[in-house]
Amino acid sequence: MDYKEFKKRWINRIAKELKNFPGGFLNSVETEEMILPGASLMPGAELFGHFEILDGNSNLFMQTGSKAKMKYILYANRNKPRKINIPVSEKEMEEAVKRYEKHLYGFLREMKKDYEIQFRSVKNFNEVATSVFNSLNLHLL
């Protein structure tokens, strides 16, 4: 097996097993609807405890005082929806983000174990894992 085959196998596996965010990580909690641009969003700067979310042209989409909210919005925007449901409770939002990140780290742990078996080393693992995640538009913040 070469790197290309390894990446392809893991892209397929993650795509098949990945739970939808936020739906797969929210318990029955009160939410409110949030309108999104239906385009790529990315983290901006942290300024005095406020986190920026930028659009694809580096224009400010929004600013929030909550790192969990910033992560939640960026994770939920993976498939560029026009709207999402966001928990009213900050605690519920934080918990959903933690559960999602745990889910993604689980893939990374399994991928690393498989990588060590296939290639007898962890050399270049970060590059391969980043490529796999980027192919699926997945990011850990």
Side-chain angles (χ1 to χ4, degrees):
M1 173 178 290
D2 64 12
Y3 292 119
K4 187 176 178 181
E5 291 167 337
F6 182 86
K7 286 189 233 181
K8 185 177 180 181
R9 186 169 56 137
W10 272 94
I11 288 167
N12 291 335
R13 178 177 171 187
I14 293 172
K16 186 176 170 182
E17 297 177 16
L18 182 68
K19 295 179 190 174
N20 183 39
F21 187 86
F25 299 89
L26 284 178
N27 297 324
S28 299
V29 298
E30 182 181 355
T31 61
E32 58 189 14
E33 190 173 271
M34 178 178 202
I35 304 299
L36 296 178
S40 294
L41 294 174
M42 60 189 155
E46 176 188 355
L47 304 168
F48 306 107
H50 284 81
F51 302 88
E52 293 180 337
I53 298 176
L54 307 175
D55 66 16
N57 296 320
S58 297
N59 297 315
L60 182 65
F61 169 70
M62 74 172 292
Q63 193 173 43
T64 178
S66 166
K67 187 172 187 175
K69 186 172 185 177
M70 184 242 345
K71 287 180 171 188
Y72 186 98
I73 292 166
L74 292 174
Y75 291 156
N77 193 60
R78 177 177 168 251
N79 294 319
K80 302 175 188 85
R82 298 298 258 150
K83 59 184 177 179
I84 59 170
N85 289 320
I86 190 162
V88 173
S89 162
E90 178 78 16
K91 185 175 189 251
E92 291 295 336
M93 192 179 321
E94 288 173 5
E95 289 300 316
V97 166
K98 284 180 188 176
R99 286 189 291 271
Y100 181 66
E101 289 176 338
K102 184 177 179 182
H103 182 57
L104 295 182
Y105 280 119
F107 288 125
L108 284 174
R109 276 191 305 278
E110 291 298 315
M111 190 187 323
K112 187 173 185 178
K113 286 179 194 174
D114 188 27
Y115 188 90
E116 287 178 295
I117 291 167
Q118 297 299 322
F119 302 108
R120 310 265 189 250
S121 148
V122 291
K123 185 179 177 184
N124 299 328
F125 173 74
N126 289 341
E127 181 182 319
V128 170
T130 299
S131 176
V132 169
F133 268 47
N134 285 342
S135 295
L136 295 163
N137 196 23
L138 292 172
H139 306 282
L140 280 161
L141 305 171

